Amino acid sequence: MNRDVNLRLLRYFEAVATELNYRKAAERLYVSQPALSVAIRQLERQIGDRLFNRDTHSVTLTAIGRDWLPHVRSALREVDAAIDVVADLVGNAEVRVGYLTGTGADLLFELLDGVEEVLPEMSIVTTEFDFGDPSAGLASGESDIGLLRPPVDVPDLESVVVEEESWVACLPRSHRLADRAELRIEELLDEPIIVAPESAGRWRSYWMADDARGSRPAVVAAEAATYEAETTLVARGVGISFTTSSLERLYSRPGIHIVPIVDRPASYTALAWRAGRLSAPARQLLEFMLRRIPNSTGPQS
C-alpha cells in the first residue's frame, strides 16, 4: 500500500461517501465530476482496494470504504483543528466572510461597522458569491462566516436572521401582468422563468416556487448566476423571475417592472456559520457581528 495519501484525496473520499452521488459531491467540492472520479480512482490505487461500488444507478461504499470512513472523518477533524491552533499561535487572525450577491450592499458593512476599533489585529477578507453558491462559501469551506438567504445545502448550519423581505415578481415592462399592483403565485407558475444554476440545489428550487407547483413542472427559460444577468434576461423578455423586494432598490433598470407577490412566506437574510468549525478569531468576529443585529436572540438552527 502506498502511504503517501494527500489530504485533498481524503476530503474527496469523505464527500463522495457522504453524498453517495458523484455529481452532488463534485458540486459540494467545486470540482468537475470527471476530475472527482479520477481522484477517487487514484486514491483506490494508492490504498490497493476499491472504496465504492458504482453502476449507472447507484453508488455504495464497499466494506473497506465503510469501515475506513469514520477514521478519515476523525483525521480531517484533527487536521482542521490543528490548522486553527497554529493560526492562533502565529497570530494569524484572518477571518473570511462571504456574502451572497445582493445582500452585502445593504447589510454586510453595517454588521462590520466599527470592527477595526474593537478587533484591531484582525484581518477580514470579504468575498461576494453568486447564485452558483448560495451558501456564500460555507459549503466549500472558503468562508468562515456567511451572509446569505436560506435555504442552502449545508450540514450543521447555524444562523441568525438579519432581515426579512417579501417576494416579488420581476417582469418585462411589456408583460401582460406588469401593470398589476400585486400578484398571487398561482398566476405566475406557467410563466417561463429565469432560475439559478443547478449547483444552487435547494436554493434554486426555493426560488422556482417548487413547493407551490405540485406536479406542474417549471418552464425554465434560462439560468443566471447574478442579479445583473437575471434582470438583463427579464428585460429582454426571455422570462420572469422571483426574487426579494430589495431588487427594486438595488438593481432597478429600464425594461423591468417589480410587482409584489402577496401569498408567499417571507424571505430571510441570515448571518450563518457551520457549528464547530469556527476558529477563535472567527468566533470573536461572529460575536461582534451578532451584537450589531437588532433584537438578536442568538443562534437559530
Side-chain angles (χ1 to χ4, degrees):
M1 172 180 172
N2 182 350
R3 303 185 70 88
D4 188 21
V5 176
N6 67 44
L7 187 61
R8 176 180 62 87
L9 294 181
L10 294 182
R11 293 193 188 280
Y12 284 11
F13 165 64
E14 192 278 335
V16 177
T18 298
E19 301 292 345
L20 293 178
N21 182 295
Y22 273 73
R23 178 183 61 79
K24 290 182 179 179
E27 290 174 356
R28 169 179 157 185
L29 294 163
Y30 292 92
V31 298
S32 70
Q33 190 171 328
L36 178 58
S37 297
V38 169
I40 293 297
R41 287 196 295 270
Q42 178 186 347
L43 179 59
E44 290 175 328
R45 285 195 300 271
Q46 288 182 340
I47 67 170
D49 214 327
R50 290 167 57 204
L51 296 168
F52 298 99
N53 296 310
R54 309 182 273 277
D55 58 33
T56 56
H57 303 292
S58 65
V59 177
T60 59
L61 284 158
T62 63
I64 289 175
R66 187 170 56 252
D67 291 343
W68 193 38
L69 179 58
H71 299 283
V72 170
R73 285 175 170 160
S74 177
L76 291 174
R77 286 194 298 269
E78 291 295 328
V79 168
D80 290 340
I83 291 171
D84 288 342
V85 168
V86 76
D88 291 343
L89 290 174
V90 301
N92 180 5
E94 179 179 282
V95 181
R96 303 160 303 166
V97 180
Y99 61 96
L100 183 65
T101 182
T103 61
D106 274 339
L107 297 173
L108 179 63
F109 300 109
E110 293 180 19
L111 295 177
L112 293 175
D113 186 35
V115 70
E116 298 87 355
E117 299 173 6
V118 178
L119 300 170
E121 302 301 319
M122 183 172 292
S123 172
I124 301 170
V125 178
T126 59
T127 303
E128 183 179 66
F129 289 81
D130 64 26
F131 304 155
D133 180 13
S135 79
L138 291 178
S140 64
E142 293 178 70
S143 300
D144 303 302
I145 301 168
L147 190 65
L148 48 81
R149 289 195 173 102
V152 294
D153 296 309
V154 180
D156 60 28
L157 191 75
E158 294 187 8
S159 64
V160 168
V161 171
V162 178
E163 186 176 70
E164 176 181 321
E165 293 188 74
S166 57
W167 276 50
V168 298
C170 181
L171 308 175
R173 286 198 180 275
S174 59
H175 194 277
R176 59 187 175 80
L177 300 174
D179 61 351
R180 291 275 297 275
E182 59 185 39
L183 290 164
R184 303 183 72 82
I185 194 68
E186 177 67 26
E187 299 177 85
L188 300 162
L189 295 180
D190 292 327
E191 298 289 329
I193 186 171
I194 313 299
V195 300
E198 286 191 7
S199 61
R202 289 174 60 206
W203 199 84
R204 167 176 158 132
S205 296
Y206 174 80
W207 285 111
M208 290 168 65
D210 275 354
D211 63 302
R213 293 183 182 277
S215 59
R216 185 189 317 182
V219 180
V220 175
E223 293 184 353
T226 66
Y227 282 119
E228 291 293 338
E230 176 185 325
T231 52
T232 296
L233 288 166
V234 172
R236 287 172 46 205
V238 174
I240 71 167
S241 69
F242 301 142
T243 184
T244 62
S245 49
S246 61
L247 179 80
E248 188 165 21
R249 183 173 70 257
L250 299 174
Y251 294 95
S252 183
R253 62 170 57 199
I256 66 172
H257 195 76
I258 306 299
V259 182
I261 302 174
V262 296
D263 59 343
R264 292 298 287 166
S267 169
Y268 298 99
T269 299
L271 189 65
W273 61 97
R274 297 186 70 171
R277 301 199 179 199
L278 290 177
S279 65
R283 281 192 294 272
Q284 284 185 296
L285 180 60
L286 176 63
E287 290 167 3
F288 173 87
M289 297 174 80
L290 289 173
R291 290 195 296 270
R292 302 281 302 169
I293 301 173
N295 304 317
S296 171
T297 57
Q300 302 169 7
S301 298

